[in-house]
Amino acid sequence: MGYDNLTLHTDKYQINMMYAHWVQGSLNDRAVFELYFRKLPFGNGFAVAAGLERAIAYIEGLHFGEEEIAYLKEQEENYKEEFLQLLREFKFTGHLDAVPEGTIVFPNEPLIRVEARVFEAQLIETALLNFVNFQTLIATKASRIKQVAGDDILLEFGTRRAQEADAAIWGARAAYIAGFHATSNMRAGMLFGIPSKGTHAHAWVQGHETEEEAFRKYAEVLPDQVTLLVDTYDTLRSGVPNAIRIGHMLERQGKRMIAIRLDSGDLAYLSQRARAMLDEAGLPYVKIVASNDLDENIIFNLKAQGARIDTWGVGTQLITAGDQPSLGGVYKLVAREQEGAFIPVIKISGNPEKVSTPGIKEVYRIINRESGMADGDYITLREEEAVRRGEPIQLYDPLHPYMPTVIDKYEAVPLLQRIFQDGQLVYDVPDLEAVRVYHKQQLSQFWPQYLRKLNSEMYRVNISVAAWQLKLELIKRYREQ
């Protein structure tokens, strides 16, 4: 089985639509789809775009091999051999634009725009949504945790609770983009160059006659990497005192213990007492690591309680995005080819938030020239020139049409960048460290009220008057049919 070939990592109805377009002779008609999400996760004030590197590798690897063709032959639809032969020759030949990974993004902004033959654009929908939805969700969760943790060290510990292997490694990468410092997952470390960190398990302590013996033997093997898990039996009566003895032993060897780790109990109280004990023993340099189902809310509360924790190991709640298991991103047709030109299309729904915005769009970040900070994002139709020329623009928020804002001293930064041109990769894919630095720079463009964990101010995402009028026009047209 070709596990690494993700071409059939798609929904069956995509293949059925491809077949229908082939039968009807419309497979070469061009179409434009946009991928976006409608609602911020976790009640947060922003999201962090992620998943592009995975999407690029997927697009470059698209091909129907004989295993995939053989499987399609087994389907009850009885796809014709001529169609299957066409799939053998399949490759992506369209354009793809995307927001770079690490970008701060908001609802209803195109994160990816695909302009291609409808035959190609339909196939890639499911995989793109899968990659972007998951990684953006985890990067956003990680960024929330980072906002609370400040300058503390953050370790991603989620592999054993992740929804399978791919989620573990790509989730670790997404967390690293957003500011985590290391991962426990060795494969993620190897694949992406993320620093890897780890201590020892309770089983190591249980596997020896005494806790002190377990600590000592561990320190003998890894004397330069000693972090001891102190809560196997009794944290304050045995765990910390035994760790202190090992710390003194290492000092006599000219070495230093790195940290102790707390994995259960009242972390605020235990960390305070452990800190006092370590300091009194002359080991003020020994750090305290905490784990145990942590998330941004628990870390926030522990800090408020005066916890003396230097490093946070965050696992289950991060890698599974425990309080919101999906982002809900969508991939919608916004324009289709008719007689050689693109015409806008719309999806209308009884739920106002599900009514799509028609037409091929650009999205700009409006940077105030005086402050250097983001004033809002501006979505326009692709053909609009005013914002590109720096002319005064009206920030027209459809939720508050009676409160327009006109600005003229701004820099409009386009968020969508060309990734594939006619099927060829034209984007210089940055390494992970560059993405991480870029994300930090992105955060610096936003006032703190947009980034805070609780009651964040709503950042304005505006659509141009032309885009808004087009939407109203199409709603009226289709409702009168």
Side-chain angles (χ1 to χ4, degrees):
M1 178 181 177
Y3 177 80
D4 293 328
N5 184 355
L6 295 178
T7 305
L8 282 183
H9 185 54
T10 192
D11 292 305
K12 187 170 187 176
Y13 81 168
Q14 310 288 13
I15 301 294
N16 285 346
M17 284 188 288
M18 292 170 70
Y19 186 66
H21 278 297
W22 174 73
V23 171
Q24 297 295 340
S26 55
L27 75 165
N28 292 321
D29 289 356
R30 296 186 72 79
V32 180
F33 288 82
E34 291 175 353
L35 186 155
Y36 59 94
F37 61 90
R38 299 185 180 112
K39 183 179 179 182
L40 285 164
F42 316 114
N44 206 41
F46 65 94
V48 180
L52 179 58
E53 182 173 307
R54 175 80 148 148
I56 289 171
Y58 161 75
I59 294 287
E60 289 194 303
L62 279 173
H63 71 281
F64 287 86
E66 289 308 312
E67 282 184 303
E68 288 72 32
I69 297 298
Y71 178 69
L72 291 175
K73 285 182 177 179
E74 299 172 1
Q75 303 305 300
E76 60 187 1
E77 285 80 3
N78 293 316
Y79 303 121
K80 292 184 179 179
E81 182 58 39
E82 296 89 340
F83 171 71
L84 298 177
Q85 181 56 39
L86 189 65
L87 294 184
R88 289 186 176 94
E89 302 164 5
F90 181 93
K91 66 177 182 176
F92 182 75
T93 63
H95 310 326
L96 187 146
D97 300 88
V99 169
E101 289 190 285
T103 301
I104 301 300
V105 292
F106 301 92
N108 301 308
E109 298 180 337
L111 305 186
I112 292 180
R113 183 179 64 212
V114 175
E115 179 181 334
R117 297 188 304 155
V118 67
F119 194 70
E120 302 168 22
Q122 288 287 182
L123 175 67
I124 65 178
E125 171 184 355
T126 303
L128 292 183
L129 284 170
N130 181 208
F131 305 149
V132 173
N133 273 335
F134 174 70
Q135 292 190 46
T136 298
L137 185 73
I138 302 304
T140 304
K141 183 72 168 178
S143 191
R144 277 175 63 79
I145 296 169
K146 175 65 176 174
Q147 300 307 308
V148 169
D151 294 329
D152 296 349
I153 300 298
L154 289 168
L155 309 178
E156 184 278 311
F157 277 1
T159 296
R160 61 187 63 193
R161 303 285 175 78
Q163 278 88 353
E164 243 283 344
D166 282 354
I169 61 167
W170 289 101
R173 181 182 179 276
Y176 190 68
I177 287 173
F180 271 60
H181 298 88
T183 178
S184 64
N185 187 295
M186 297 295 286
R187 185 165 175 246
M190 180 183 72
L191 289 174
F192 307 127
I194 303 172
S196 57
K197 297 290 182 181
T199 57
H200 64 78
H202 291 108
W204 176 262
V205 177
Q206 293 171 287
H208 294 80
E209 287 300 315
T210 68
E211 186 176 53
E212 183 179 357
E213 178 192 12
F215 287 174
R216 176 173 50 79
K217 288 189 174 181
Y218 186 79
E220 289 172 353
V221 175
L222 295 167
D224 297 312
Q225 300 294 328
V226 179
T227 294
L228 299 174
L229 181 58
V230 296
D231 73 330
T232 303
Y233 301 123
D234 190 307
T235 299
L236 299 180
R237 291 185 180 180
S238 65
V240 176
N242 283 326
I244 288 172
R245 282 189 274 276
I246 300 305
H248 290 154
M249 180 192 81
L250 288 168
E251 284 188 334
R252 291 192 293 271
Q253 299 171 7
K255 299 182 181 296
R256 282 187 164 192
M257 185 164 71
I258 294 175
I260 63 169
R261 178 178 156 215
L262 305 171
D263 189 50
S264 61
D266 185 333
L267 295 179
Y269 171 73
L270 292 175
S271 67
Q272 291 164 350
R273 292 295 305 126
R275 179 76 275 154
M277 294 167 71
L278 290 167
D279 291 349
E280 289 168 6
L283 301 173
Y285 55 83
V286 174
K287 304 296 183 182
I288 298 178
V289 181
S291 51
N292 188 26
D293 277 345
L294 299 174
D295 65 7
E296 67 271 35
N297 300 309
I298 294 175
I299 293 173
F300 181 85
N301 289 333
L302 285 170
K303 281 180 163 289
Q305 295 166 37
R308 300 297 302 277
I309 295 167
D310 307 289
T311 299
W312 308 88
V314 189
T316 304
Q317 298 304 314
L318 168 64
I319 204 68
T320 65
D323 47 342
Q324 182 166 335
S326 67
L327 179 64
V330 295
Y331 181 90
K332 295 300 179 185
L333 182 69
V334 297
R336 63 182 178 86
E337 186 177 25
Q338 185 178 83
E339 298 178 354
F342 282 119
I343 62 169
V345 299
I346 190 171
K347 175 190 178 292
I348 298 176
S349 170
N351 300 109
E353 70 277 8
K354 290 190 173 184
V355 178
S356 64
T357 300
I360 306 170
K361 295 175 289 298
E362 298 287 352
V363 55
Y364 299 91
R365 182 137 298 151
I366 304 301
I367 304 296
N368 187 301
R369 284 183 179 169
E370 295 179 353
S371 67
M373 306 296 278
D375 273 345
D377 286 1
Y378 191 55
I379 300 173
T380 75
L381 299 177
R382 185 162 65 177
E383 60 268 21
E384 292 186 66
E385 295 287 344
V387 68
R388 286 194 283 266
R389 292 195 293 258
E391 297 175 2
I393 57 173
Q394 179 173 279
L395 300 186
Y396 180 80
D397 186 342
L399 296 179
H400 305 284
Y402 48 86
M403 296 171 57
T405 301
V406 177
I407 61 170
D408 55 5
K409 295 179 181 179
Y410 66 89
E411 177 187 0
V413 180
L415 296 189
L416 289 167
Q417 296 186 20
R418 180 57 50 95
I419 310 298
F420 286 92
Q421 175 78 31
D422 297 321
Q424 298 299 311
L425 180 64
V426 296
Y427 178 64
D428 187 11
V429 182
D431 63 32
L432 188 55
E433 287 301 326
V435 175
R436 182 179 165 90
V437 170
Y438 169 73
H439 172 64
K440 191 173 182 179
Q441 292 169 343
Q442 281 277 294
L443 288 170
S444 70
Q445 293 182 340
F446 291 84
W447 298 106
Q449 60 264 33
Y450 300 122
L451 305 179
R452 63 192 178 212
K453 185 179 82 74
L454 294 174
N455 300 316
S456 55
E457 185 72 18
M458 187 174 73
Y459 180 79
R460 291 177 66 111
V461 177
N462 311 271
I463 66 173
S464 69
V465 173
W468 180 240
Q469 289 176 340
L470 175 63
K471 187 171 185 175
L472 293 178
E473 175 189 325
L474 290 190
I475 291 173
K476 181 179 179 182
R477 179 193 307 173
Y478 286 107
R479 289 215 161 165
E480 289 177 349
Q481 288 184 354

